[in-house]
Amino acid sequence: MLRHLDGVEALQNTPGLWMMPPMFWTRNKTLLAITVLAMLTLVPLMPVSVTAGLLLLAYLPGRIALRFLDAEHHWSMAGRVVLSVSVSLATVPFFLNPIWHVTNNGLHLLGFTWLVLVLLTLVRGNPRSGTFEASENAAGGDADDGTDGLSLSGQSASIGQPAFFEHAVSWKVAGFLVAFMSCAIVLMYWPTELFGYPVAAHNHDFIKHFALLDSMQHRPLPFGNPFYAVGSDKPVYYYHFFYLIPATVRAWAGYGISIEMVFAIAGTLVALSTCGLTYAITKRLSGGETCAWLAVALITVVGGFDFIVFVPQMYRMSRPLVVLDAWTWHPYVIHDLLFQMTWSPQNISGLMTMLVGVYFLSYKPHWRGWFILGPILGATILGASVWVALGALPALGVWAVLRRKHLVATIGIGVLMAIVSLPTLVQYMDSGGRSERGLTIQWPEVAPHEVLGKLVGPGIIANFLDLPMQFIVDFGAKALFLPLVAAAFWKKAWRDPGLKFLFVAAVLALLANRIVRSELRHNDFGQKIVMITTVFTAIMAGCAVARQPGRRCWWNPLGWTSACADTHPKSSLFIALCLFAGLPRGFYEAPVGAVRRYASEFLELKLKNHPTISREDMDGDEEARTFMRYQLPEDAVIQPDIAFNRAYLGQVTRKQLGVMDPEDDVGVFMPSEPEAYLQAVDDMANALWFDPDAGRTHATLKRYKVTHVFLGWRELLAWKHLEKYDDDRYFEDVFRRGRIRVMKVK
């Protein structure tokens, strides 16, 4: 016993062990966590592997980075979790991108990730010294402007760690938000089967999302083509950074988790991180969590006033509609952020990365570490969403000119952004050169909703004349609350380097939304770039309520009251009415969008009054899809009708499709030889729709590597000369129920 005590005393007196600085122990704990999580990803239990993978990619890197950024003191634990996840999602894709262009092997990806995290843990330095030296203004705003910038909840950063959630009710609201966003996003895509039949996600964007993640399962980047069998091994390009984390998690889990589920999890994390950053930025600006929660509500459950215009239109069309923004034509649509979070999280990840930059730019505008962090964030924004990048990166130049200081340093950071983003830019240029459609300032005829625009005809002038009306309808409470925001908040936002950058980007994005559009049917440029404006208006509109909560009740759990209630007694009622008018976005569109995927296609046919399609045909169609998913070989190539409304069969069957028409999301996969592809579309359309000869149809199918033909209910409506498929010299039934058939091409 005495010998043991002597040993302990000797250890305690040993310099270099017990006298090691605390960083030594923190560093070793981090290294241990990295190694343990890496080992857990190899456990052949999908929940364990996926959870470990998400922690390794979507939490731990950000937790390490907070030490680089000197941001561990910013908030209490809840805030640190939000920042850790957000920074991880904004930076990890930058490091995964090069290795994914080499291999999609799970073990190789794991080894690379482990090595990078270990090196980052070992080399991290003091953020206030050496290469990572902060400016004299590391904790606050722009010292050169003569202001104190933004503080943490109105306090100095040196006074402890401000509570992210100050009241118990905030934890309840946060729990509701997590549950609501998780259900709104996950139920759009998962479960993948119902009553034994495969169920497709009805939002057309998922045709593309699924195809991209499925390609990453079978090959490294760049993507293959799931809609053109002859060119399936030829490279196609898309902004892919969002998909890198879910694809890596799937590779580590042995592809035991479905694409739908891992995509929904990644989308939920990005959406919640966007909400968390919006909350943190607004709380710092306003000094109150009531304001912060209002800003979060305005990008989630509270949308625009679309419902007021939407209901009469639905009545005129005599059929139910789901997306509230359907009240206007596609080129003029401005979607709310909740819609974007559920439909296109890859673009939200670009916006979230931009908000990470805004957040840290407010604290460390002169930090020399921006020469490292800036290019990483810039490359991630461009790699995640080209549309957000078209708003954020030009705004960075305008912001630098407006500040009139450290211009050379900002230019240097911009040059580094361009250098590290060059491979992505080259891919975008290659992809853009394959299509004749791009961006244009030409606008179609005046939309029905335009009033003043009808006086001048279609074009940019007409767009701006009717912009105030559409801004109020689409932005709703976010637009109407802006006049209620005190001038002091606007000045404070303009003086803060991060919010000034977001302010400039928001204005440029709104102008670009009315000037430029995509030539595709869905104006992706306009509806995506304006997300920057949406989140900025939500942050500022959040300051319209008092920082201190008023009387709470069941319909006002956070005690929202107008900040100008003393001078305008009716303003609190006005705020309540505006919020109520925007609730259909969260409590009509979100649940209906999730539920509609379970509605039978037979209901769709009944609504469209198709007299030639029976319930037996619909049942056979569902059984055929199940057969193709589970009974056909993995390397089967299926040819349904070439129209876009059959492209979702790639998702349902998990199989390569032969030739599909390059409309909407299929157009993303335009091959490097577009002329040959378009000729293949014409050949296949003629063979399926018009050619009565079985031999010629068979030759066309073989030429484009089709192994099986699907004759479902849509094909019964579109194809002619169906008797040619009875020729057993060329076709053999492998599934048949009534008129529904799956045929092998001999």
Side-chain angles (χ1 to χ4, degrees), residues 62-112:
R63 194 71 183 88
I64 297 170
L66 291 188
R67 295 167 191 154
F68 277 113
L69 297 164
D70 191 29
E72 293 181 293
H73 65 277
H74 286 189
W75 301 105
S76 58
M77 178 56 71
R80 291 198 298 273
V81 170
V82 168
L83 290 181
S84 297
V85 174
S86 301
V87 173
S88 296
L89 297 175
T91 57
V92 167
F94 176 84
F95 295 98
L96 288 177
N97 182 50
I99 188 64
W100 263 100
H101 279 82
V102 177
T103 180
N104 66 338
N105 181 279
L107 287 177
H108 297 165
L109 295 169
L110 182 60
F112 176 82

Side-chain angles (χ1 to χ4, degrees), residues 212 215-216 219-225 234-238 240 243:
L212 296 173
S215 173
M216 296 175 79
R219 59 180 62 84
L221 292 173
F223 301 108
N225 196 325
K234 301 295 178 60
V236 294
Y237 304 105
Y238 187 69
H240 60 270
Y243 305 94

